[in-house]
Amino acid sequence: MNEYKLTAIAIWIILGLGFVFLINFGVAQVTYFGISIILLSLVGSVVYTWWKTQSDKTVDKLKAEILLKIKKDYADGQKLIAEAGEMVNVDNVRRDLESLRSNLINLKFYDADFNTTEEAKKYTLTVIEQENRRVEQRLRSLEALAAIEVKPKLDEYIQELRVKLDKLRKAGYKIGEEVENFETIEAQESKTLREMLEKKKKLTEKFVSILNKCAAEAGEILTTSQRYGVIKIVEHALLKIKTEDFDGCVILLVDARSRLKDFLKDFFAIEKNEFSASVEGIYKLLDGEQVEPEKMREIEELRSWVLYISDPGTIGELQDLKVQFKNAVASTIAELHEKLRSLEEEIKAYAPSREIWTSDELAEPLVRRVSAEDELRVFTRYATNALEHIGKQLAKDSAFIKILKNYDKVEQIISKKLEGEGKLSATALNVKYPEKFLMLYSKKHPDTEYTESTATLRVKARV
Amino acid sequence: MNGRTKWGIIAAGEGANRISFQYYSQFRNPAIEDRVLLLNTTTADVKLDKTFEYIISKDAGLQQVYEEVKRSRICIFGKSPSGAGNNWKLGENEAREDFDSIVKYITGLKLAERDVILGIATLGGGTGNGSLPYIIHRLKRGEDLAYRREISYLALGIVPYDFEAPQRYFNTICGLTRLLKYGEDGRQNADMLLLVDNSQVERMLKVGISAREERYYQINQEIIKAVNMLIAPSSLGAKSTIDVADYYQLPSNIGVYHFTPCMSLGNDPEIFEIETALEMAASNPMAPLDLKTATMAYIVAVVPQKYVDSGKFSQEDLEAKAHEWAVKNIAGEWGGILRYASLVSSKEQETLDVMILLGGFSFDKILAKSLQKYYDFIDILRVDKGEVELKDESDPRIRVRISMKDIETIETRLKEYIALTQEKIGKVQEVKTDLLEKLEEWGFGKRRK
Ligand SMILES: Nc1nc2c(ncn2[C@@H]2O[C@H](COP(=O)(O)OP(=O)(O)O)[C@@H](O)[C@H]2O)c(=O)[nH]1
C-alpha cells in the first residue's frame, strides 16, 4: 500500500519539478531532465524488486527453522520417552506423543514421514511459532508424566546396585572409596526425566568400573595364590566375567573371592603367626631409651597392622608388611650399632684400664649378618642375636660413661671416707654403681686395693 | 604463702655492683626479675666503666645491658668528688647525707609488704661496707618506707681474701658487726647475715692462678647460684615451702643469725643419692667454719621434675636424709637446734643441686685471720682527742675521723655476739643430759616407785 502512495507522491514531485524547469530553463533542458528521471526510476525499481525478494526469503527461512526445531524437540522427547519405556510401561504417554505427531501431519506441517512440506510455508510465521510453543509445552508435560512412572523404578534400580556393591564389599573387595563415589552421584538431585536418566547412566558406568576393579583385584590375588598352588576354577571364572551381566558378574566375583579366601586361609594363618611371632620377639628387645622414638613408632605401627590384618585375601599385603618390617628393624640395628660405636669412642677418650673395660668386638660381625633380603625366619634369628647383644652392651656402656663422667666428684668422696678407717665398703658409698667406682679408684690410686668378693676398698698396709 | 614474695637486690660498692651486674646480665630469677639496684659513690664514669670492663669483655652483647643498667639501675650517692675510697666511715657519711636520693631509687623497686631486700656488700671496701649497714638500719627503723616493717632485710657480706691488707680487715670487722647490730641501742640490724669468704670459695672452686678479674668473676658466679638456691624454696616447684621469714625468725629470737651457704651443684641424679650430695655440699662451705659448731641447717634440694614423679626423690625422704646427715655432722646429738628441708622440683633442670645453709657456727675460723690484722691496724692509729684520722692508701685526699669510742662500741658488740654464739653452741653440744635423770628430777620416775 505504502509502496503505491510513495510512488504516486514521487511522480507528482517529479512532474512538478519538470514544470518548474520548463518555465525557467526551456524545453531543451527539460528533455535532459526527463530522460535522466526515467533512467533513475528504472534503476530504482530493479533495486527495489531485488530487495523485496530477499526479505521474503528471510521469513521463509525462519519458518523452516522453527519447523525443524519442532521436529527435533519431538525427536528428543520421543527418545527420552523411549528410554523411559525401557524401564517402565509408558504406553499412554507414547500414545499421546503419537497423536501429537499425527496432529502436526494433519496440519500439513509435515508429511507422513515427518518431513517438512511445501504447504507449511503458507502458514504465517506467527502461526508456526504458536504451534512451536504448544508442542514444547505438550512435550514437557508428557516427559513429566513419564518421570512420575520412572522415579520409583530408578530408586529400585539403585537399590539393587547397592545390594550388589554390598555383596562385593562383604566378600572382601577393597572398594570402599569407589562406593563412596557411587553414593555421591546417587545423592545428586534429579527432578526431570532427563536428569533421572542421566543419573542412571552415570551410576551404571560407575558400577561397571567397580566391577572391573574387583575383577582386577581378584586377578591379583589369584596371581599371588599361584605361589601356593593352582586354582583352575577361579581362573576360568575370571575369564568368564562379562560386566554387562550385573547379576552374573557379581555372583562370579563373590564366588571367586571366597574360593580364594578358602584356598589361602591356611597359608595366611601360618604366615601371619610366623610374622607376629617375629614382630613380638623383636619388639620385646627394643629399649625405648635406646631406640629413636621415630623408629619405635614405625615398628609399633607395623606391629598393630600385623595384629589387625585377618583376611586371607590380603596375604599380598602381609608380604609387603614383612618387607617393611625387615627394613625398619635392619635400620634400627644399624642405628643402635652406630650409637654403641660413638659411645665407645667417648669412653676411649677417658682411657680406662683394660681390666675394667674393653671395647666390644662382637657387635660388628653380628650386625653384618643381618640382612633384610633374608627370609623372615632367618632374618629374625640374626636380628634377635644382634639386638640382644647391642642392647646389653649399650646399657653397660651408658652406665660406664656415667661412671667416668662423675668419677672426679666421687673420687673426692672416696678419698675423704677412706681417711678415717682406711677402708670403705660399697654399701657405705651412697652412689649408684659403688663397686665400679671403688674399683676405678683402686686403679688410679696404687696405694689402695679393691677386693671384689667383699666389695671393699682398703689402703694397703705400708711396709 | 599469698602470692609470690618479691625479692629486690641492693648492691652497694664496687664488688657488689659486679655481682649484681653479673646476675642482671645472665639470670632472671622469677622472684627477682629486674629488681636490682646498684649503689655507688660519686665517681667519674670512667671508674664505673672500669668496674664492668672485664665482664663486658666476655660478651659483646653486654655493652647494651650495661647502658641499660647505667640508665636506670645505678644510684650514685654522696657529695665527695673522690668517693669513699677505702673508708667505711666515709661511705656511711655519704649515705647519710644523700639518703633521700637512695630512698627514691629503692622506692622505685616497687616492693611491697612481705617482700625481701637482699643487701650485698664486700666487707673489705669502704663504700658498700660503710653504707649498707646504715641503709638497712634507716629503712628498718626510720620512716622512709611506708611498708618497712613488713619487709625482710637479708644481708650478704663478702670477706676479703686471706692475703689482703690490715685496713681491709679493720673494715671487715666493723662492717660485719654493723650489719649484725647497729644504732645507739645496738639492736639487731639485718634480719639475717650471710657470709661468703673469697679465699674459701676459691679453694672450693680450685681456681688456678689467673687474672684478678677472672677470679672475682668465678666467685661471683657462685654467689649468684647461692642466691638462686636461697630463693628456690619459695618458688612454685617447692614441695615444702620455706618462707623467707622462716629463715630468720627463730635465729633472731635466739640472737644468733649469721649463716653461710654450702653447695653441691650439677650432680647427675642417676649417680648421686641425696646423702652423697649433702656430704659434698657440706664439704664446700663458702666461708671457713667447723661443721660441728653449726647449730642450724636449712637444706634445699632442687631436682628434675621427672625424678620426683618417679618417686626417686621426695620431701619425706629428703627430710629423713637431712636428719640423718645433721645428727652425724653438725652440733649436738639432735643435729642442731633448727633444721628445715625443702625439696624443689624443676622442669628446666637436669641435675641434682643441693644447698645447706649453715647457721650459728663458731666465728673462730673467720676471725682467725681477721682479728690479728684488725689489731695490727688499730695499733698503728694515732689517737688525737679520742679520735683517729683514717686516710686512704691510694688517695690521700680522702680522709675521715672516727672516734675511738665508736670503735670500742663495735668491738664490744661483736664480742657480745660471739659470746652468745658460743654459749648456744655449748648448750647444743651439751644436750647429752641423761634424760632419765631429768625425768626423775621432774618427778616422773618417782611416781612409778
Ligand atoms: N667476690 C668479690 N669480691 C670483690 C670484688 N671486687 C672487690 N672485691 C673484694 O672487695 C673488697 C674491696 O671492696 P670494693 O667492693 O672494691 O670497695 P667499695 O666499692 O668501696 O665497696 C676487697 O676485699 C676485694 O677482695 C668482686 O667482684 N667479687
Side-chain angles (χ1 to χ4, degrees):
Chain A
M1 289 281 261
N2 289 343
E3 293 163 16
Y4 303 123
K5 274 185 194 164
L6 269 172
T7 321
I9 290 167
I11 290 170
W12 277 110
I13 289 172
I14 291 165
L15 284 177
L17 278 172
F19 187 69
V20 172
F21 284 150
L22 185 67
I23 288 167
N24 285 347
F25 307 109
V27 177
Q29 308 284 358
V30 174
T31 314
Y32 290 132
F33 176 72
I35 289 168
S36 41
I37 287 294
I38 288 164
L39 283 173
L40 267 173
S41 316
L42 277 173
V43 172
S45 19
V46 169
V47 169
Y48 177 76
T49 317
W50 178 79
W51 173 81
K52 191 80 169 45
T53 46
Q54 279 301 314
S55 83
D56 280 353
K57 254 193 213 159
T58 318
V59 172
D60 280 350
K61 225 161 99 188
L62 266 176
K63 285 181 192 166
E65 265 169 29
I66 294 171
L67 287 168
L68 256 175
K69 183 182 166 284
I70 294 173
K71 186 180 166 181
K72 192 174 156 290
D73 284 354
Y74 182 84
D76 280 354
Q78 194 183 30
K79 198 170 143 244
L80 281 178
I81 286 161
E83 259 177 61
E86 286 168 22
M87 293 169 73
V88 281
N89 185 346
V90 282
D91 287 351
N92 48 346
V93 179
R94 233 182 245 169
R95 257 195 309 280
D96 287 351
L97 200 65
E98 206 48 53
S99 75
L100 182 64
R101 178 184 157 118
S102 17
N103 186 31
L104 286 170
I105 294 172
N106 286 344
L107 283 172
K108 293 271 167 40
F109 274 27
Y110 303 97
D111 62 15
D113 297 328
F114 217 54
N115 288 323
T116 327
T117 57
E118 275 306 306
E119 277 139 295
K121 290 196 181 135
K122 282 186 202 144
Y123 290 100
T124 61
L125 192 59
T126 324
V127 171
I128 293 175
E129 177 56 29
Q130 272 167 357
E131 193 55 29
N132 175 32
R133 299 258 168 78
R134 212 177 57 82
V135 171
E136 254 177 32
Q137 254 166 26
R138 189 79 189 115
L139 282 173
R140 223 175 292 145
S141 61
L142 286 178
E143 277 173 29
L145 272 177
I148 292 169
E149 300 291 325
V150 164
K151 175 92 170 75
K153 201 71 196 172
L154 177 63
D155 289 346
E156 201 178 297
Y157 178 73
I158 294 174
Q159 199 47 40
E160 273 168 25
L161 291 187
R162 294 193 64 147
V163 170
K164 292 192 170 73
L165 288 177
D166 230 36
K167 279 188 191 151
L168 290 171
R169 202 163 37 178
K170 285 218 184 87
Y173 288 107
K174 285 198 276 308
I175 48 170
E177 206 178 301
E178 280 76 11
V179 171
E180 255 173 50
N181 287 341
F182 183 90
E183 282 165 355
T184 321
I185 302 173
E186 190 198 326
Q188 281 164 6
E189 226 188 336
S190 56
K191 285 222 180 85
T192 65
L193 182 62
R194 185 181 300 277
E195 282 166 348
M196 287 178 191
L197 294 171
E198 183 69 15
K199 181 190 265 188
K200 181 182 176 230
K201 205 171 113 210
K202 278 198 205 158
L203 287 175
T204 308
E205 275 167 13
K206 186 80 226 167
F207 186 76
V208 170
S209 88
I210 293 176
L211 288 180
N212 281 323
K213 183 158 193 284
C214 293
E217 198 181 314
E220 264 169 46
I221 301 174
L222 182 67
T223 316
T224 317
S225 312
Q226 264 144 11
R227 291 176 43 183
Y228 306 94
V230 190
I231 15 178
K232 280 269 183 261
I233 300 185
V234 177
E235 225 179 301
H236 292 317
L238 289 182
L239 286 175
K240 268 196 285 182
I241 280 180
K242 284 196 204 73
T243 48
E244 304 86 68
D245 171 15
F246 290 178
D247 285 324
C249 184
V250 169
I251 290 169
L252 275 178
L253 282 170
V254 169
D255 181 62
R257 191 67 171 69
S258 94
R259 275 176 200 278
L260 285 169
K261 203 188 245 177
D262 282 346
F263 175 76
L264 289 170
K265 207 160 62 195
D266 294 341
F267 302 105
F268 180 82
I270 292 168
E271 293 220 358
K272 183 180 157 157
N273 282 345
E274 188 198 37
F275 191 10
S276 42
S278 161
V279 171
E280 292 308 314
I282 284 177
Y283 182 73
K284 260 202 310 249
L285 295 176
L286 301 177
D287 181 344
E289 298 269 306
Q290 298 171 348
V291 180
E292 294 301 316
E294 210 175 292
K295 270 276 137 58
M296 205 67 181
R297 231 173 296 128
E298 187 185 345
I299 293 173
E300 270 163 5
E301 223 163 82
L302 284 166
R303 178 171 174 244
S304 46
W305 259 113
V306 176
L307 291 177
Y308 169 80
I309 220 169
S310 63
D311 178 352
T314 54
I315 197 162
E317 273 164 63
L318 202 64
Q319 310 291 1
D320 292 346
L321 286 179
K322 266 188 213 173
V323 175
Q324 278 178 44
F325 176 72
K326 285 192 286 185
N327 284 331
V329 171
S331 71
T332 304
I333 291 175
E335 271 176 29
L336 289 176
H337 187 214
E338 190 46 48
K339 227 180 203 174
L340 180 62
R341 259 197 298 228
S342 69
L343 197 53
E344 286 190 339
E345 286 312 307
E346 220 181 316
I347 291 175
K348 278 178 195 157
Y350 285 88
S353 142
R354 282 192 64 83
E355 284 166 70
I356 298 180
W357 183 87
T358 47
S359 80
D360 173 70
E361 307 285 330
L362 238 81
E364 179 76 45
L366 284 178
V367 171
R368 223 177 316 122
R369 240 181 274 154
V370 176
S371 159
E373 305 290 308
D374 282 342
E375 200 246 318
L376 185 70
R377 208 168 325 170
V378 179
F379 175 85
T380 308
R381 198 169 59 233
Y382 287 136
T384 306
N385 287 346
L387 278 173
E388 268 172 354
H389 179 77
I390 296 180
K392 236 185 276 162
Q393 210 59 28
L394 267 176
K396 224 160 71 185
D397 281 359
S398 338
F400 194 61
I401 191 77
K402 267 191 194 296
I403 292 169
L404 291 173
K405 279 185 178 161
N406 288 285
Y407 176 75
D408 285 350
K409 272 191 178 177
V410 178
E411 184 179 43
Q412 288 176 42
I413 303 171
I414 297 176
S415 295
K416 220 170 131 221
K417 295 202 173 201
L418 267 183
E419 269 168 25
E421 293 178 48
K423 68 172 187 180
L424 177 62
S425 75
T427 43
L429 185 66
N430 283 315
V431 296
K432 210 171 171 189
Y433 319 116
E435 301 88 359
K436 285 267 158 35
F437 278 111
L438 291 179
M439 195 191 291
L440 213 56
Y441 187 94
S442 73
K443 297 286 174 244
K444 300 220 173 179
H445 301 259
D447 60 325
T448 61
E449 63 187 345
Y450 177 71
T451 320
E452 255 187 286
S453 55
T454 54
T456 332
L457 179 78
R458 60 180 76 237
V459 182
K460 283 182 195 160
R462 251 166 248 163
V463 208
Chain B
M1 203 172 34
N2 208 343
R4 298 278 287 274
T5 305
K6 284 187 284 182
W7 287 56
I9 292 181
I10 296 178
E14 202 183 334
N17 279 184
R18 268 196 285 266
I19 294 169
S20 23
F21 182 72
Q22 270 173 240
Y23 161 78
Y24 192 84
S25 61
Q26 301 166 32
F27 301 89
R28 277 289 187 282
N29 190 305
I32 307 178
E33 293 176 315
D34 59 352
R35 281 181 295 277
V36 174
L37 178 60
L38 281 62
L39 296 176
N40 220 321
T41 37
T42 345
T43 38
D45 253 12
V46 202
K47 178 124 186 274
L48 263 188
D49 289 347
K50 263 204 117 45
T51 303
F52 304 114
E53 196 177 28
Y54 182 73
I55 307 172
I56 294 170
S57 76
K58 290 205 161 219
D59 175 357
L62 293 186
Q63 184 61 39
Q64 206 190 328
V65 180
Y66 173 52
E67 299 300 332
E68 188 186 318
V69 166
K70 218 158 64 168
R71 222 176 17 250
S72 58
R73 320 235 149 247
I74 298 187
C75 161
I76 303 292
F77 65 95
K79 309 272 189 287
S80 154
S82 45
N86 231 339
N87 268 314
W88 67 261
K89 190 67 193 171
L90 217 90
E92 183 183 80
N93 291 344
E94 303 263 82
R96 182 180 293 118
E97 276 168 36
D98 215 358
F99 194 66
D100 287 348
S101 48
I102 294 177
V103 164
K104 225 176 281 163
Y105 274 92
I106 293 176
T107 312
L109 293 177
K110 301 223 162 47
L111 292 167
E113 289 171 12
R114 286 178 216 292
D115 286 345
V116 185
I117 285 179
L118 172 66
I120 307 179
T122 51
L123 297 175
T127 306
N129 177 37
S131 60
L132 188 64
Y134 174 76
I135 294 170
I136 291 181
H137 172 75
R138 269 293 292 270
L139 292 177
K140 224 175 146 179
R141 309 255 171 255
E143 305 289 333
D144 308 279
L145 291 181
Y147 42 82
R148 66 189 193 283
R149 284 185 216 291
E150 302 285 348
I151 292 235
S152 304
Y153 296 92
L154 308 192
L156 169 64
I158 292 143
V159 180
Y161 280 112
D162 295 350
F163 57 76
E164 293 192 58
Q167 179 172 9
R168 296 238 188 248
Y169 279 92
F170 169 70
N171 287 340
T172 302
I173 294 288
C174 297
L176 174 76
T177 312
R178 287 159 61 254
L179 282 171
L180 287 168
K181 291 160 184 272
Y182 198 94
E184 293 292 311
D185 50 7
R187 270 204 284 167
Q188 175 174 0
N189 195 12
D191 293 317
M192 182 177 190
L193 173 63
L194 299 164
L195 289 170
V196 169
D197 179 291
N198 274 345
S199 289
Q200 175 76 13
V201 176
E202 225 173 70
R203 273 194 291 275
M204 190 179 100
L205 285 175
K206 303 196 188 71
V207 237
I209 314 153
S210 56
R212 197 177 55 120
E213 287 90 347
E214 176 61 23
R215 295 166 68 179
Y216 281 151
Y217 183 85
Q218 293 198 19
I219 295 173
N220 296 350
Q221 286 303 91
E222 289 304 297
I223 292 173
I224 293 168
K225 287 179 199 162
V227 171
N228 278 330
M229 289 297 281
L230 195 67
I231 295 175
S234 63
S235 74
L236 292 176
K239 302 295 167 230
S240 159
T241 38
I242 303 182
D243 204 2
V244 188
D246 298 334
Y247 275 142
Y248 63 77
Q249 235 143 37
L250 220 66
S252 294
N253 288 345
I254 300 169
V256 178
Y257 40 88
H258 64 280
F259 286 83
T260 281
C262 317
M263 297 189 296
S264 171
L265 310 180
N267 302 308
D268 185 342
E270 302 260 333
I271 296 284
F272 295 97
E273 311 279 336
I274 289 277
E275 291 99 317
T276 325
L278 285 172
E279 275 171 44
M280 289 191 288
S283 59
N284 287 333
M286 292 178 87
L289 55 84
D290 179 1
L291 258 185
K292 273 289 172 202
T293 65
T295 53
M296 302 179 257
Y298 302 148
I299 288 152
V300 178
V302 183
V303 300
Q305 175 79 46
K306 62 176 176 186
Y307 293 102
V308 178
D309 296 342
S310 74
K312 180 168 165 68
F313 298 120
S314 70
Q315 173 67 27
E316 294 71 27
D317 182 54
L318 176 67
E319 276 171 25
K321 302 273 167 63
H323 172 239
E324 218 172 279
W325 171 84
V327 166
K328 232 189 283 170
N329 293 284
I330 67 173
E333 285 203 327
W334 314 109
I337 40 169
L338 186 56
R339 190 178 58 245
Y340 288 131
S342 173
L343 185 78
V344 181
S345 66
S346 158
K347 286 204 177 71
E348 298 91 48
Q349 182 173 311
E350 290 289 322
T351 55
L352 161 65
D353 292 357
V354 169
M355 177 185 74
I356 308 173
L357 198 58
L358 288 175
F361 50 84
S362 163
F363 265 115
D364 287 3
K365 295 216 170 168
I366 293 176
L367 290 186
K369 63 175 180 179
S370 315
L371 223 49
Q372 188 53 49
K373 286 186 182 168
Y374 168 80
Y375 283 123
D376 288 352
F377 184 75
I378 297 266
D379 282 350
I380 56 153
L381 292 178
R382 235 191 35 231
V383 185
D384 174 24
K385 295 190 202 122
E387 284 187 339
V388 292
E389 187 175 65
L390 296 180
K391 269 188 271 180
D392 193 78
E393 308 144 338
S394 54
D395 189 346
R397 281 178 306 161
I398 308 176
R399 52 183 67 202
V400 70
R401 301 183 72 81
I402 309 180
S403 81
M404 279 312 281
K405 232 183 86 223
D406 284 354
I407 297 180
E408 274 157 26
T409 311
I410 286 176
E411 244 186 80
T412 321
R413 284 177 184 171
L414 183 59
K415 276 182 197 153
E416 280 168 15
Y417 184 86
I418 289 172
L420 185 65
T421 307
Q422 289 306 127
E423 185 198 320
K424 299 292 173 197
I425 296 169
K427 276 226 179 98
V428 177
Q429 285 176 337
E430 259 169 36
V431 198
K432 287 178 183 138
T433 355
D434 187 340
L435 270 182
L436 277 176
E437 202 175 288
K438 256 287 187 284
L439 282 174
E440 258 173 45
E441 200 178 291
W442 286 10
F444 286 105
K446 278 181 195 140
R447 202 178 292 167
R448 279 225 179 133
K449 274 182 191 168

